[in-house]
Amino acid sequence: MAENGTDCEQRRFGLAKEQHNGRFQDSLLSERKKRDIEERQSIVLWRKPLITLQYFFLETLINLKDWSIKLWHRRRMVVFFLLLLVILSVAYYIEGAHQQYVQYVEKKCLWCAYWVGLGILSSVGLGTGLHTFLLYLGPHIASVTLAAYECNSVNFPEPPYPDEIICPDEEGTEGAISLWTIISKVRLEACMWGAGTAIGELPPYFMARAARLSGVETDDEEYAEFEEMLEHPQTAQDFATRAKLAVQNLVQKVGFLGILACASIPNPLFDLAGITCGHFLVPFWTFFGATLIGKAIIKMHIQKLFVIITFSKHIVEQMVSLIGIVPSIGPSLQKPFQEYLEAQRKKLHHKVDSGLPQSENWLSWAFEKLVIIMVFYFILSIINSMAQSYAKRLQQSKLSVEKTK
């Protein structure tokens, strides 16, 4: 009996020791992950320019190698698209009656590809998104809105539209412009931009789905945070975590309609919806179909209506007049806005004297510089993100070598 009691004590002591060692190892691993994340986040151009550029070029080479291998595995598809490209090139360069249709298709395809590309840049996970709605689509819709009310028409001559907007030669009737007229005019580019944002939401979905199917623990911070949130939902105290849990519960429980609801409103947490759908193996077309409908149709019409109403002629005139009411600085602020609007009206009617040098309005100058700064910052974020990805590869390689020892 004494021996049995001693054996039980030894087993309990062994189990307690294993649990203590396990907790200790988990604590060490957690601390190491935190150190690795902090080390990666310090690899940015303004802190470590040489290392960041070196890692960026190495990561670029690795990605090119991976893409080349993937293309080689799908060489039949590649050959098919190359043959199709050759046939289209022949049709493009051969003279004939079909050229008018070729030029029309080319123009529409390039226009659609331009807005789809801007939509992808706006939502794709590359460290930060380029806010292409504020920089490109919003100003385009605003320009068309102002021009439509000034010209009483949306039949702008093509070309120069869409590169430049001028009023048509025939004058439109007063009051002929409605919200629906302007919405119809900008529907194609708005829907293409919305479709691009839907495509940009796919990487988080595929990442989470691949991690769940393979069973391999991914080192992506967002996915790790998502799994920790699922394991300990009761610890959510701050508003951001509770909002993430609400999005996750809505998508998981409601399915297609939940994804549609999240995609149909401006939602900075939609990346979490993609991770949730991938983690719970929601079918691809359920996720992408709901995202496409929500972003390219419902959300885009909401955003278009907001911009069109905001830049309607009477509202713009009221806002400019209200600026003048501001004490002391009001008149000085109001003057450049009035000059800008007057210059735009003359430009729409093609009344700007080409022989006289035009003074640049400071609003146009400021907007151009803002676009340059945001594009420059976006490029910097891509370089930093890719350099940090290479640093993550090095850390994972070092960790795997230590485990084999």
Side-chain angles (χ1 to χ4, degrees):
M1 293 291 292
E3 291 179 359
N4 290 337
T6 304
D7 290 342
C8 288
E9 288 294 331
Q10 289 177 348
R11 289 194 193 98
R12 281 198 293 270
F13 177 76
L15 287 172
K17 187 176 181 181
E18 286 178 3
Q19 290 174 355
H20 175 74
N21 290 338
R23 286 195 296 268
F24 181 70
Q25 289 176 354
D26 289 341
S27 177
L28 286 178
L29 187 61
S30 177
E31 289 294 327
R32 175 161 187 163
K33 281 187 175 181
K34 289 180 181 178
R35 287 198 306 271
D36 288 346
I37 291 172
E38 290 175 359
E39 183 183 343
R40 289 201 303 269
Q41 289 176 345
S42 67
I43 301 175
V44 289
L45 276 170
W46 45 90
R47 289 184 183 177
K48 302 177 180 178
L50 294 178
I51 293 177
T52 304
L53 288 174
Q54 179 187 0
Y55 284 6
F56 166 72
F57 286 118
L58 291 172
E59 181 69 12
T60 302
L61 291 175
I62 291 173
N63 287 333
L64 288 174
K65 179 184 175 183
D66 292 341
W67 293 339
S68 300
I69 293 172
K70 289 178 181 178
L71 288 176
W72 175 252
H73 289 157
R74 295 169 176 81
R75 51 189 177 273
R76 291 184 179 178
M77 187 179 297
V78 173
V79 171
F80 170 77
F81 279 109
L82 287 176
L83 290 174
L84 182 62
L85 181 62
V86 169
I87 294 171
L88 292 176
S89 300
V90 171
Y92 182 80
Y93 287 105
I94 291 179
E95 297 293 335
H98 66 286
Q99 280 298 320
Q100 57 178 333
Y101 304 107
V102 170
Q103 292 173 4
Y104 175 80
V105 172
E106 178 193 18
K107 179 182 175 182
K108 287 296 181 183
C109 288
L110 290 176
W111 186 238
C112 292
Y114 172 75
W115 288 111
V116 169
L118 288 177
I120 293 173
L121 288 177
S122 181
S123 62
V124 73
L126 288 171
T128 182
L130 181 65
H131 301 290
T132 52
F133 182 85
L134 295 177
L135 294 177
Y136 296 98
L137 183 58
H140 173 71
I141 297 174
S143 300
V144 171
T145 302
L146 292 172
Y149 283 109
E150 179 64 27
C151 305
N152 292 314
S153 174
V154 291
N155 298 320
F156 313 124
E158 297 187 21
Y161 182 82
D163 298 323
E164 182 184 355
I165 303 177
I166 60 173
C167 292
D169 294 333
E170 63 277 3
E171 293 186 5
T173 57
E174 188 73 26
I177 297 301
S178 64
L179 283 176
W180 184 254
T181 306
I182 304 173
I183 288 173
S184 301
K185 184 67 176 178
V186 296
R187 180 180 289 118
L188 177 63
E189 43 268 49
C191 289
M192 290 298 104
W193 185 88
T197 61
I199 296 171
E201 300 292 354
L202 292 179
Y205 169 83
F206 284 123
M207 178 273 298
R209 184 180 178 86
R212 182 67 184 272
L213 290 174
S214 64
V216 178
E217 184 180 356
T218 179
D219 200 28
D220 185 85
E221 285 84 13
E222 288 188 1
Y223 187 70
E225 182 185 347
F226 169 77
E227 286 194 319
E228 185 179 352
M229 187 178 66
L230 287 182
E231 292 174 2
H232 309 288
Q234 67 279 0
T235 61
Q237 295 180 353
D238 58 302
F239 175 77
T241 306
R242 290 199 298 269
K244 290 178 180 179
L245 279 171
V247 171
Q248 181 263 325
N249 289 329
L250 179 66
V251 171
Q252 183 185 357
K253 293 178 180 178
V254 186
F256 181 90
L257 294 178
I259 303 168
L260 182 65
C262 290
S264 300
I265 57 175
N267 184 4
L269 302 176
F270 192 78
D271 276 350
L272 189 68
I275 294 175
T276 302
C277 293
H279 179 79
F280 291 105
L281 304 180
V282 173
F284 170 77
W285 285 110
T286 300
F287 169 72
F288 185 64
T291 304
L292 187 64
I293 294 171
K295 286 184 172 290
I297 299 177
I298 301 175
K299 180 184 172 185
M300 266 327 304
H301 277 81
I302 295 173
Q303 290 176 302
K304 276 193 296 182
L305 276 172
F306 175 78
V307 175
I308 292 170
I309 292 172
T310 303
F311 286 90
S312 296
K313 185 177 180 180
H314 62 285
I315 293 180
V316 172
E317 291 174 350
Q318 287 178 1
M319 287 192 296
V320 173
S321 64
L322 287 173
I323 292 174
I325 302 175
V326 179
S328 302
I329 61 172
S332 58
L333 283 176
Q334 187 184 44
K335 185 178 179 181
F337 282 97
Q338 290 175 333
E339 291 176 351
Y340 178 76
L341 290 175
E342 185 61 31
Q344 292 303 308
R345 289 192 184 101
K346 290 181 178 179
K347 189 176 179 182
L348 289 171
H349 292 288
H350 216 57
K351 293 179 180 178
V352 179
D353 297 329
S354 57
L356 297 175
Q358 298 296 320
S359 59
E360 187 179 23
N361 186 277
W362 69 269
L363 289 175
S364 303
W365 180 89
F367 182 74
E368 289 175 2
K369 299 303 179 284
L370 176 65
V371 171
I372 293 172
I373 291 171
M374 293 191 70
V375 171
F376 183 68
Y377 180 74
F378 179 65
I379 294 171
L380 288 181
S381 70
I382 293 175
I383 295 173
N384 293 335
S385 179
M386 292 184 68
Q388 291 169 10
S389 296
Y390 185 78
K392 184 189 291 186
R393 292 179 189 270
L394 294 180
Q395 291 170 350
Q396 290 174 339
S397 176
K398 184 179 179 181
L399 183 62
S400 61
V401 169
E402 291 177 359
K403 286 181 178 179
T404 56
K405 289 183 180 179

